Amino acid sequence: MNTTTDPFQERSEAAVKDKKLRANFLSAMNGLMEKRDLAFDDKTQLEALRILGAQVRQNSLVKLPELLVELETKLIQKGVQVHWAQTPTEAVDIIQSITLKEKATKIIKGKSMVSEEIHLNDKMEQIGVECLESDLGEYIVQLAKETPSHIVMPAIHKNTAEIADLLHEKTGIERKEDALYMTEQARLQLRQNFMEADIGLSGVNFAVAETGTLCLVENEGNGRLTTTVPKTHIAIMGIEKVVEKLEDTAPLLSLLTRSATGQPITTYFNMISGPRKEDELDGPESVHLVLLDHGRTQMYQDDELLDTLRCIRCAACMNHCPVYTRIGGHAYGFTYPGPIGKILMPHLEGLDETQSLPTASSLCGACAEVCPVKIPIPDLLVRLREEANHPNAQSSNVKGAGVKRRGMEPVIWSMWRWWHQGGTRYRLMTTTLSRLRFLQPGTLSPWTNTRTLPKLAKKTFHQQMNARAKK
């Protein structure tokens, strides 16, 4: 086997050789696919709902600049402090500034992939502020000093025995391979932290411009505690999460929960509309919203790549992806793994940093078939492959375009086109190749590491057909 210096390929090869990891993912993905299939038992209704969901997201994106302004206005009227961040560094600076102003030393976090996107925990630790994850899956990966391997189920790469070992080692609880027992023990340990935390930080699933409402979908109740118990609540979201009207959330919520976990609805659907009022008994004294761009505006400027921003983070594309199922989330090496990560991360980090991701797909189309908002993921992957070989990076809407373009490659393809455009030239080329077939190399690494190299024929296709016609 040929060795490679590509970090993604190295991680993928290691993951494929890890039998336990593959078994964990295969079991988990099979279960999630079955639950989704049962949740959408009426396929006609499913298709109608997908069309509606896609229209809602498309409408939100078409009106995105206006809706963001409307959202900000409504939130300010309700007492929410709105902050805009162009980059992850700016977002971290804003949150650190709020933390220092509040003299906070502990933040309790609900689930937020955008906070993972800006590496918030590490940045806060650098200024002496503890960030504690309260989502059970996030809590497990934090104890293991890992990153989420799945955007909905962060610890899905671990089986029950591994989690029992981890909780016993890190928290001292009795080792029991009992999911209910481990969940109860984790909740007991987290409960006091909600009371002690100075700040609660959460993500946002949908932000309604019409009403100035931040919607948070969750199952464990940790999101509600995070956003109501500490005296300060900070919400962070990508700018694409805004929708126009409150009624828009209904089809998106139905698609999100059933696509993600097979549930008709989650246990909690939090609607946050501002800090505690004078006559209210609970809730935070102050609420902040951080709106993060991080490459989304650049994506927004391209009529085709814009479709990436429709995503509602259900992870159905991951659950049905044959590549993700075999290598897991950590092999990708970025915040968002799987098919959505392959079309999103090149915009967030640049194609020069993520050039392997668009090609890590068989283009089987399973991701597009299950996407609840009908994102044409395979088409976008092909587009990003083209962007990686873009002849004029300055005219591209993708950061790092042209990173895979090599000097001789366009010359070779130009010669290939020239040969195929003339009948005489084509016959001369194929005849020459068939006569020089003894010079053909035996391997073409790394392509032939897992494939058999086809051999050039002794006679060209035309020669064979002419011979057959004479018989």
Side-chain angles (χ1 to χ4, degrees):
M1 179 69 71
N2 181 50
T3 57
T4 174
T5 56
D6 185 318
F8 172 75
Q9 291 190 22
E10 288 180 349
R11 291 190 295 267
S12 299
E13 288 179 9
V16 167
K17 293 174 183 175
D18 189 334
K19 293 182 179 179
K20 185 166 65 174
L21 182 73
R22 288 190 61 181
N24 291 349
F25 271 100
L26 185 61
S27 173
M29 295 303 106
N30 286 343
L32 287 170
M33 286 192 292
E34 183 179 358
K35 287 179 180 177
R36 178 191 175 275
D37 195 48
L38 291 173
F40 290 119
D41 56 345
D42 185 333
K43 303 309 176 191
T44 303
Q45 183 189 59
L46 166 61
E47 189 57 22
L49 193 56
R50 290 179 71 210
I51 293 172
L52 178 57
Q55 289 173 341
V56 167
R57 290 300 298 135
Q58 192 65 30
N59 176 64
S60 302
L61 292 174
V62 168
K63 300 177 179 177
L64 185 60
E66 296 83 1
L67 294 182
L68 285 169
V69 172
E70 184 180 0
L71 175 69
E72 179 185 35
T73 302
K74 291 288 171 60
L75 286 171
I76 291 175
Q77 290 173 355
K78 293 183 173 186
V80 177
Q81 299 176 57
V82 180
H83 311 266
W84 298 83
Q86 189 74 27
T87 65
T89 300
E90 288 183 14
V92 170
D93 288 344
I94 291 167
I95 295 171
Q96 287 184 342
S97 174
I98 297 170
T99 305
L100 294 173
K101 183 180 178 182
E102 298 290 336
K103 298 180 180 177
T105 58
K106 177 181 280 189
I107 295 177
I108 191 88
K109 286 181 62 192
K111 194 169 184 315
S112 165
M113 287 308 296
V114 177
S115 75
E116 298 287 342
E117 191 179 316
I118 64 175
H119 308 292
L120 183 66
N121 291 8
D122 293 339
K123 302 294 184 184
M124 299 307 289
E125 187 178 347
Q126 292 172 7
I127 63 167
V129 176
E130 178 189 4
C131 283
L132 182 66
E133 301 287 351
S134 64
D135 174 87
L136 183 58
E138 294 277 1
Y139 178 63
I140 290 169
V141 297
Q142 187 176 33
L143 286 176
K145 300 186 183 304
E146 296 175 346
T147 55
S149 60
H150 189 277
I151 63 172
V152 174
M153 300 182 177
I156 204 166
H157 56 290
K158 293 186 179 296
N159 59 32
T160 305
E162 291 172 310
I163 295 172
D165 288 337
L166 178 71
L167 291 177
H168 173 67
E169 178 188 344
K170 298 292 184 180
T171 70
I173 68 170
E174 183 180 353
R175 187 191 182 286
K176 286 185 180 180
E177 293 185 23
D178 181 333
L180 183 59
Y181 166 78
M182 290 189 286
T183 302
E184 288 177 345
Q185 291 300 311
R187 282 179 173 168
L188 285 174
Q189 292 170 2
L190 286 169
R191 184 63 57 135
Q192 186 59 32
N193 286 284
F194 285 110
M195 307 304 293
E196 295 173 352
D198 305 293
I199 293 174
L201 188 140
S202 74
V204 177
N205 291 96
F206 316 113
V208 184
E210 174 188 46
T211 57
T213 305
L214 307 179
C215 302
L216 182 61
V217 181
E218 47 131 354
N219 271 316
E220 301 171 14
N222 66 304
R224 183 158 297 180
L225 287 170
T226 298
T227 58
T228 56
V229 176
K231 67 176 185 178
T232 300
H233 171 216
I234 302 174
I236 182 169
M237 60 176 260
I239 57 173
E240 80 279 15
K241 292 293 186 71
V242 65
V243 295
E244 184 176 13
K245 299 178 180 178
L246 189 60
E247 64 191 44
D248 290 340
T249 61
L252 297 181
L253 178 63
S254 180
L255 285 165
L256 173 61
T257 59
R258 290 198 277 179
S259 299
T261 58
Q263 295 173 276
I265 190 169
T266 46
T267 310
Y268 296 88
F269 182 63
N270 304 285
M271 303 174 75
I272 301 159
S273 55
R276 179 198 310 179
K277 296 181 177 61
E278 290 184 0
D279 58 343
E280 293 178 338
L281 298 177
D282 54 18
E285 296 174 8
S286 62
V287 176
H288 299 259
L289 173 65
V290 180
L291 289 158
L292 177 66
D293 185 326
H294 195 193
R296 290 166 172 83
T297 300
Q298 189 174 26
M299 221 182 312
Y300 185 75
Q301 295 172 3
D302 189 291
D303 290 341
E304 183 179 17
L305 300 174
L306 167 71
D307 289 342
T308 308
L309 295 174
R310 281 193 226 157
C311 179
I312 58 174
R313 305 289 192 269
C314 69
C317 60
M318 295 180 198
N319 303 342
H320 292 74
C321 175
V323 177
Y324 177 87
T325 301
R326 282 157 181 78
I327 66 175
H330 290 153
Y332 291 84
F334 295 96
T335 303
Y336 300 96
I340 186 60
K342 285 181 274 192
I343 60 171
L344 179 60
M345 290 311 304
H347 300 284
L348 304 189
E349 302 294 338
L351 265 172
D352 42 351
E353 298 292 332
T354 61
Q355 56 185 284
S356 296
L357 297 186
T359 56
S361 170
S362 63
L363 300 180
C364 68
C367 49
E369 289 182 9
V370 299
C371 177
V373 288
K374 302 177 81 69
I375 300 175
I377 295 175
D379 294 342
L380 298 183
L381 287 170
V382 172
R383 168 68 188 281
L384 288 170
R385 293 178 185 185
E386 293 172 358
E387 292 292 336
N389 292 278
H390 201 290
N392 183 6
Q394 300 300 321
S395 64
S396 172
N397 285 323
V398 183
K399 179 183 172 186
V403 66
K404 298 184 77 171
R405 190 174 179 82
R406 301 292 180 264
M408 282 302 296
E409 191 170 324
V411 175
I412 293 171
W413 283 114
S414 295
M415 291 174 62
W416 180 268
R417 181 176 59 189
W418 181 76
W419 271 326
H420 284 73
Q421 285 177 332
T424 302
R425 292 196 296 266
Y426 178 79
R427 282 192 288 276
L428 177 62
M429 177 190 70
T430 53
T431 300
T432 303
L433 288 175
S434 64
R435 290 180 179 178
L436 298 178
R437 62 192 293 271
F438 63 90
L439 296 176
Q440 181 182 355
T443 59
L444 287 176
S445 283
W447 196 83
T448 51
N449 286 341
T450 54
R451 303 174 180 87
T452 300
L453 181 67
K455 293 183 178 178
L456 293 171
K458 293 180 180 178
K459 294 184 179 180
T460 68
F461 177 77
H462 285 96
Q463 289 170 340
Q464 293 181 47
M465 293 305 294
N466 288 335
R468 180 178 297 182
K470 292 177 181 177
K471 289 182 180 179

